[in-house]
Amino acid sequence: MGMNGQKEVMIECDGLTKRFGTFTAVDHVSFKVGKGSIFGFLGPNGSGKSTLIRVLCGLLEPSDGTARIGGHDVVRELGSIKEMIGYMSQEFSLYDELSVDENLTFSGKLYGLSGRALTKRRDELIEITHLRPYLERRARLLSGGWRQRLAMACALMHKPTVLFLDEPTAGIDPVARRELWDLLFEFAAGGMTLFVTTHYMDEAERCDHVGYIYMSRLIVCGEPDELKKMAEVNPPGTRRLDVACDHVTTALQAMRAMHGVRSATVFGQSMHLLVDENVRRSDIEQTLRDVGIEHT
């Protein structure tokens, strides 16, 4: 029994709202995620993505509305949920001075594993994430991609059925990004439900369903192809450009003042621009040079 006879619902939000004082970080957001699917949560920096994940993981209490994981209320039944979920955030606390192996063991103990169960689970995850060659290496000496794998392995120690990943590929190279996604596909194929925040449109296209949050509100939710056709995402007569450059704050001001640029937002290390069709990339680069910024 599930969504229109489809998969059973694993994550469900209904009017979920989170306010900090007078600021509303998440504004009446509602959606459902089916078991074994990958839900991509897309939106610019500061749009409410991380706040929503923290509410779903029971780290923040909602101001209004409800959220359920596997049918359990995130406020009232947090105990049951803790067992079910894994959470990998950008601030994922790996212990830099500990080796890969020590980080894994520590995570397992944190989740109450010990003895043979701990060794068995650690070995399984070393196989899954291919971390074996790096076991003795200190966490701080790992490259971005391998660091992410270790963080993911730590979040998976207690065999969660729902995994939340907050920008898991921010700041890692394209090859490492693809490899991490291959792992996510394997997890989903094994029945795990994945909730991934990202600011890369090409990553959103790999998800079964995508939500787009902008200024705290979920403006669209659907399949990736539907999302690209939505006027809110790609209004007629416009196109989207990605511009990586230094001094993003200055660049953003210059872009917002530029004729033909409808919106400019920061996604990770780059700017996403929504521009009129006739605006050329060379015009944008010239405008940035005028304010003393070289694009990368």
Side-chain angles (χ1 to χ4, degrees):
M1 160 60 203
M3 319 171 356
N4 327 326
Q6 292 168 322
K7 308 170 169 174
E8 68 178 277
V9 177
M10 279 308 279
I11 305 172
E12 187 171 5
C13 288
D14 191 6
L16 194 66
T17 301
K18 179 64 190 170
R19 299 185 198 91
F20 296 99
T22 56
F23 173 66
T24 304
V26 175
D27 194 357
H28 293 87
V29 167
S30 303
F31 61 84
K32 291 176 182 170
V33 181
K35 180 176 166 47
S37 63
I38 302 182
F39 184 77
F41 204 49
L42 196 72
N45 297 17
S47 54
K49 297 195 301 285
S50 297
T51 303
L52 186 108
I53 274 201
R54 290 185 183 129
V55 172
L56 289 174
C57 290
L59 298 168
L60 287 173
E61 263 198 33
S63 311
D64 207 355
T66 56
R68 307 171 85 81
I69 309 282
H72 301 284
D73 184 282
V74 296
V75 178
R76 292 198 307 275
E77 303 170 85
L78 189 56
S80 324
I81 288 172
K82 283 245 156 89
E83 322 271 289
M84 296 173 59
I85 61 176
Y87 169 56
M88 179 180 148
S89 73
Q90 298 214 278
E91 300 82 55
F92 195 97
S93 50
L94 290 173
Y95 290 88
D96 274 346
E97 294 312 314
L98 295 183
S99 69
V100 166
D101 199 23
E102 288 165 334
N103 267 291
L104 289 170
T105 303
F106 181 77
S107 272
K109 287 182 172 163
L110 209 59
Y111 288 121
L113 294 172
S114 62
R116 195 176 276 163
L118 174 57
T119 311
K120 183 169 178 285
R121 185 57 180 156
R122 194 203 58 188
D123 289 346
E124 282 173 9
L125 286 165
I126 289 166
E127 288 312 307
I128 293 170
T129 53
H130 309 294
L131 279 160
R132 193 163 298 286
Y134 302 102
L135 286 183
E136 299 312 312
R137 191 171 293 190
R138 282 187 185 182
R140 71 180 167 83
L141 301 175
L142 293 173
S143 71
W146 286 104
R147 209 183 152 81
Q148 292 299 62
R149 278 171 184 242
L150 174 57
M152 188 150 78
C154 290
L156 291 168
M157 275 311 266
H158 61 305
K159 297 196 177 169
T161 48
V162 180
L163 182 61
F164 290 94
L165 300 141
D166 197 4
E167 308 237 337
T169 62
I172 65 175
D173 67 87
V175 176
R177 264 174 68 191
R178 271 201 306 278
E179 289 175 350
L180 201 82
W181 271 93
D182 288 342
L183 279 176
L184 298 185
F185 289 135
E186 277 177 49
F187 298 158
M192 194 186 284
T193 306
L194 300 161
F195 185 105
V196 187
T197 69
T198 178
H199 49 249
Y200 297 113
M201 204 46 149
D202 64 319
E203 286 188 358
E205 285 172 23
R206 293 165 168 236
C207 301
D208 301 303
H209 284 90
V210 190
Y212 188 96
I213 191 170
Y214 184 71
M215 308 272 289
S216 322
R217 300 190 77 115
L218 188 67
I219 54 172
V220 286
C221 196
E223 290 178 9
D225 286 350
E226 295 168 31
L227 191 71
K228 283 194 299 197
K229 292 185 200 128
M230 301 289 297
E232 292 93 332
V233 179
N234 288 314
T238 67
R239 61 199 184 106
R240 287 189 178 271
L241 293 176
D242 245 355
V243 181
C245 59
D246 301 329
H247 314 298
V248 177
T249 344
T250 319
L252 213 51
Q253 285 168 334
M255 286 297 94
R256 286 181 174 157
M258 182 178 166
H259 189 69
V261 174
R262 298 201 191 183
S263 79
T265 38
V266 178
F267 276 75
Q269 303 308 305
S270 63
M271 287 188 297
H272 275 204
L273 307 175
L274 177 64
V275 301
D276 292 338
E277 269 166 346
N278 57 3
V279 174
R280 296 195 309 268
R281 191 173 275 274
S282 54
D283 303 336
I284 285 168
E285 288 166 3
Q286 187 53 56
T287 305
L288 288 175
R289 276 197 295 274
D290 293 345
V291 292
I293 293 171
E294 278 301 319
H295 70 284
T296 48

